[in-house]
Amino acid sequence: MLTLAILLPLFASLALAVRPAWNETMARLIAMAASGLSLLMLVIVWMGFDTGADAPAFQAVGELQWIPTLGVAWRVGVDGMALAISLMSGLLFLCALAWPADYKGRARQYYAWFLFLQGVSLGLFLTLDLLVFYVFFDLSLVGMYFLIGRWGHGDAEYAALKFFIYTLAGSLAILLAILGLVLANDTLTFDMRELIAAQPLQGVDIRSSLVLLGFLVGFAIKTPLVPFHTWLPLAHVEAPGPASAILAGVLLKMGTYGIVRIPFSMMRETFAAYAFPLAIVAVVSILWGAIVALGQTNLKRRIAYTSVNHMGYTVLGIAAAGAAIGGDAARSLALNGAITEMVAHGLITGALFLMAGSFWQRTGTYELSAYGGLARVAPKLMIGFFLAAFASFGLPALAGFVAEFQIFAGTFAVYPWLAAIGLIGILITAALFLSMLQQIFFGELADQRQGFADLNRTEVGFLALLLALVVLIGIYPGWLLAMIETGSAFLPLQGTEG
């Protein structure tokens, strides 16, 4: 099932690429069918997923030898973390494909690149082979590069180039770190399960520190953390709305997922030694992202900087979980919160960027000053935007609150001062969203906005699907937390209670 979830979008992408006779309607139907079937495969795996106390660490495992002499194989499998993020990603891809966009006369190619990106993104989350992980990591850059460069607007080509160069530099750092980690093991293998068990680089020395630095720099660029975030706002502003939703909702999670899956799991002692500096960087990202977002006058740029802020929350939880101090329960709570934040942020910010794309489709501008009074003509858009914004700054009974509560509750037991400082970011985030909502939807309606169209039936349907999950996780998070805990329970938490 997992292999099918990866290959179905890739095969459909290839079919769209080689069949120029297919028109926009046919291309859309094929893309929706392939994306939907891929998501269905993941749902089937979820239905059979064991969340019991004695559940195996990885489930639905499949393996096919590829390069035996190097210890490389097609290995797939899921723990709760990978399954939760993959389900969120599959759903967000389906919604993004269905969302209206300007195809610029190249609908078939647009859908082909989107499906390619879905296949390689799911491949990254579902693989259990470190080299295959790296291959999918690099291929995801290609898909997003073309979506931004060919279907973006404004200075799209420069934005695509900056995105590609920055993230490629990060991937090269990750490749060097992978080689350093694998070659330190007694047996040549890229099997993640074996490397987690073996802990090839134990202790803290120059070699282990450099390998960890390679991983953290590479994944920090992808996440992104300050000061490696400068590629993100431009890429978001110039990308089409659906591509922005995938960039924020899925591709950024590759960074935080990678931190948990590789250095956190495979380099316990070294990660614990550097957890505090990582937590400081996370808090800087929280505050910097929120403060800079507050000063933005561009709708998309403001939402983009909130992603820097929210990914800071995620990394703060990961750092607290990997520390060598604090009780096991608190550190486990921080890790579960970080994983929950990945899912919640994907749903919430994905919805925000889809709606931001609708603004561009209707007016051709993201400038906040160009709007006002839209509540009178677009009540559906207003309800969706308010709900997603409230969830983003952590209003109780919504998904953002569940994630942030766990992160800060766990972090307070480990780094109380950092947690207290990080809470300031929530206040700033609330201020920036409320001021933005007030400016867009309240006040007088400008004459040029009299004909502003509300969300259509397709947009309402898929947006409602995303936001319904945001509410469900906020009201009843138990089903998601049970899944996530199955994934994080086996991850060793360093140290003893301090």
Side-chain angles (χ1 to χ4, degrees):
M1 290 296 178
L2 297 180
T3 299
L4 283 175
I6 299 168
L7 295 182
L8 279 171
L10 293 177
F11 285 150
S13 173
L14 179 61
L16 287 170
V18 299
R19 291 299 301 270
W22 285 343
N23 58 24
E24 178 181 324
T25 301
M26 180 62 70
R28 179 183 176 86
L29 289 175
I30 291 172
M32 294 292 294
S35 181
L37 286 173
S38 177
L39 177 59
L40 178 61
M41 298 300 105
L42 295 173
V43 171
I44 293 173
V45 172
W46 176 30
M47 293 174 63
F49 191 74
D50 183 3
T51 58
D54 299 324
F58 292 99
Q59 302 177 37
V61 174
E63 185 168 342
L64 179 66
Q65 289 299 317
W66 184 18
I67 314 174
T69 55
L70 296 180
V72 178
W74 175 264
R75 301 180 176 101
V76 293
V78 289
D79 58 357
M81 175 179 67
L83 181 57
I85 296 173
S86 297
L87 285 166
M88 179 275 294
S89 300
L91 176 61
L92 191 54
F93 266 105
L94 181 63
C95 294
L97 280 164
W99 204 264
D102 180 8
Y103 307 120
K104 298 185 176 181
R106 299 188 296 267
R108 180 177 56 84
Q109 297 93 325
Y110 172 87
Y111 287 120
W113 280 117
F114 241 109
L115 288 172
F116 173 82
L117 187 57
Q118 179 174 355
V120 298
S121 298
L122 293 178
L124 182 143
F125 296 128
L126 300 177
T127 186
L128 296 179
D129 189 280
L130 208 50
L131 186 60
V132 177
F133 173 95
Y134 176 76
V135 170
F136 282 133
F137 189 93
D138 260 9
L139 290 177
S140 69
L141 311 184
V142 178
M144 185 55 69
Y145 170 81
F146 281 103
L147 285 173
I148 296 174
R150 298 193 68 187
W151 288 275
H153 36 257
D155 201 0
E157 293 182 2
Y158 173 72
L161 178 63
K162 188 173 183 179
F163 158 78
F164 193 90
I165 294 299
Y166 264 70
T167 47
L168 180 62
S171 73
L172 292 176
I174 293 169
L175 177 60
L176 292 175
I178 288 174
L179 293 175
L181 180 66
V182 169
L183 293 176
N185 195 36
D186 294 335
T187 304
L188 182 60
T189 181
F190 287 86
D191 191 326
M192 292 182 176
R193 297 162 297 179
E194 293 187 19
L195 293 170
I196 291 172
Q199 296 293 304
L201 289 171
Q202 297 188 23
V204 183
D205 54 25
I206 293 296
R207 184 181 181 185
S208 63
S209 298
L210 288 175
V211 170
L212 179 67
L213 180 64
F215 280 125
L216 292 183
V217 169
F219 289 131
I221 292 173
K222 190 72 170 183
T223 297
L225 293 176
V226 173
F228 304 108
H229 68 290
T230 56
W231 62 267
L232 180 69
L234 183 62
H236 270 309
V237 170
E238 308 300 0
S244 287
I246 296 302
L247 178 59
V250 179
L251 267 65
L252 301 191
K253 307 308 174 295
M254 294 178 181
T256 49
Y257 174 86
I259 293 175
V260 177
R261 177 61 76 225
I262 304 175
F264 181 96
S265 303
M266 301 176 189
M267 304 177 64
R268 307 169 196 168
E269 295 179 8
T270 312
F271 191 92
Y274 292 97
F276 183 65
L278 181 62
I280 293 176
V281 173
V283 171
V284 171
S285 294
I286 290 170
L287 297 179
W288 183 264
I291 293 171
V292 176
L294 184 60
Q296 301 304 309
T297 60
N298 181 289
L299 172 62
K300 251 194 172 185
R301 190 177 288 270
R302 180 170 290 200
I303 299 172
Y305 274 108
T306 66
S307 289
V308 177
N309 164 264
H310 284 81
M311 289 296 95
Y313 295 140
T314 304
V315 175
L316 179 62
I318 296 170
I325 57 176
D328 289 346
R331 288 183 282 119
S332 179
L333 186 64
L335 179 61
N336 291 339
I339 299 170
T340 306
E341 178 70 16
M342 295 186 215
V343 176
H345 179 265
L347 295 171
I348 296 166
T349 307
L352 284 169
F353 274 119
L354 288 176
M355 287 185 283
S358 294
F359 280 89
W360 179 269
Q361 286 291 100
R362 288 157 172 77
T363 65
T365 181
Y366 291 121
E367 287 301 317
L368 295 175
S369 59
Y371 299 103
L374 292 186
R376 301 179 185 179
V377 293
K380 297 173 186 175
L381 178 61
M382 182 194 71
I383 292 171
F385 225 100
F386 265 83
L387 184 57
F390 286 163
S392 188
F393 64 73
L395 194 72
L398 298 172
F401 174 79
V402 176
E404 291 167 15
F405 175 80
Q406 292 181 93
I407 290 170
F408 283 105
T411 304
F412 262 113
V414 182
Y415 303 127
W417 283 106
L418 289 180
I421 296 171
L423 282 172
I424 299 173
I426 295 179
L427 295 176
I428 303 173
T429 305
L432 70 89
F433 270 115
L434 290 175
S435 63
M436 182 177 70
L437 292 170
Q438 183 178 19
Q439 185 171 357
I440 294 174
F441 293 103
F442 298 156
E444 294 296 324
L445 179 65
D447 291 338
Q448 66 267 31
R449 299 290 172 251
Q450 293 290 341
F452 189 93
D454 203 354
L455 298 178
N456 61 38
R457 188 172 301 177
T458 298
E459 292 169 324
V460 169
F462 284 96
L463 181 63
L465 186 58
L466 293 174
L467 295 180
L469 281 173
V470 171
V471 175
L472 178 61
I473 294 171
I475 296 175
Y476 180 64
W479 62 275
L480 177 62
L481 297 180
M483 184 197 313
I484 289 173
E485 287 168 2
T486 306
S488 62
F490 83 96
L491 293 173
L493 298 172
Q494 298 82 5
T496 58
E497 295 196 14

